[in-house]
């Protein structure tokens, strides 16, 4: 059975809320990069509920789903990722309390998780993963879709 990963695209303060990953020991070829916040679907939650929960865990903010933007499949991870455009509703950015912030030893090889807001004009300059989604995202920013 394939794993479902849910991810959020959150416009905030002239930019986008992303998770900066640093010192990722389990990935020797790419130890620093950015990803859209998100994670696996849990239990019987809908994709939308899972996306909202993951954003709350990782960033400490509440969001509202606007629409589904992208979908991609990773053969390497045997997982499908669904990306939703979200709208910030409330909460203080950077106050997430998810397991990745717990200093749990099982997360050591995953490196640091640093919530950041990256300015719209800087998105092209950062290593945003995965590359095929970055390409679509940058195009959508230029075309003012996002």
């Amino acid at each position: 059975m394939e794993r479902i990963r849910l991810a959020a695209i959150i416009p905030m303060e002239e930019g986008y809320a992303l998770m900066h990953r640093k010192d990722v020991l389990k990935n020797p070829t790419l130890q620093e990069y950015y990803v859209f916040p998100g994670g696996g679907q849990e239990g019987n939650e809908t994709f939308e509920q899972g996306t909202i929960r993951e954003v709350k865990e990782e960033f400490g903010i509440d969001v509202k789903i606007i629409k589904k933007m992208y979908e991609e499949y990773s053969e390497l991870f045997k997982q499908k990722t669904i990306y939703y455009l979200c709208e910030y509703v409330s909460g203080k950015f950077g106050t997430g309390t998810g397991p990745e912030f717990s200093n749990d030893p099982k997360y050591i090889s995953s490196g640091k998780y640093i919530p950041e807001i990256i300015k719209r004009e800087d998105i092209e300059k950062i290593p945003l993963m995965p590359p095929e989604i970055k390409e679509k995202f940058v195009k959508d920013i230029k075309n003012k879709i996002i």
Side-chain angles (χ1 to χ4, degrees):
M1 186 171 123
E2 75 179 16
R3 181 174 187 260
I4 301 287
R5 180 178 185 272
L6 306 162
I9 300 167
I10 312 163
M12 286 186 85
E13 301 171 15
E14 307 304 312
Y16 298 92
L18 297 172
M19 189 63 80
H20 189 173
R21 302 287 311 278
K22 286 179 91 165
D23 307 323
V24 184
L25 306 176
K26 67 182 180 183
N27 189 346
T29 58
L30 191 66
Q31 296 189 341
E32 182 173 357
Y33 54 92
Y34 291 81
V35 292
F36 292 102
Q41 180 186 24
E42 293 181 3
N44 293 326
E45 69 188 359
T46 65
F47 294 163
E48 292 84 354
Q49 289 167 334
T51 303
I52 290 166
R53 175 187 48 75
E54 284 289 344
V55 170
K56 183 73 169 182
E57 284 178 9
E58 293 188 7
F59 288 165
I61 61 173
D62 295 304
V63 295
K64 178 172 87 178
I65 302 286
I66 302 301
K67 65 178 180 178
K68 179 178 161 185
M69 291 297 297
Y70 317 118
E71 194 171 295
E72 53 104 16
Y73 182 76
S74 167
E75 192 60 51
L76 177 66
F77 297 110
K78 300 274 185 263
Q79 84 179 0
K80 176 165 64 173
T81 302
I82 303 167
Y83 297 81
Y84 287 97
L85 178 62
C86 298
E87 181 182 305
Y88 167 80
V89 175
S90 63
K92 184 173 176 354
F93 181 76
T95 60
T97 57
E100 54 272 38
F101 301 112
S102 67
N103 292 323
D104 183 323
K106 81 175 188 179
Y107 284 94
I108 287 174
S109 67
S110 296
K112 296 178 185 74
Y113 290 75
I114 306 160
E116 290 182 18
I117 296 172
I118 304 299
K119 292 206 175 309
R120 187 173 273 109
E121 62 271 18
D122 293 336
I123 295 290
E124 279 187 272
K125 303 172 196 158
I126 63 167
L128 178 60
M129 301 305 288
E132 57 274 14
I133 295 299
K134 176 184 177 178
E135 192 178 313
K136 290 177 184 179
F137 182 55
V138 166
K139 187 172 154 212
D140 285 347
I141 291 171
K142 286 181 176 168
N143 293 330
K144 303 200 181 332
I145 291 169
I146 297 180

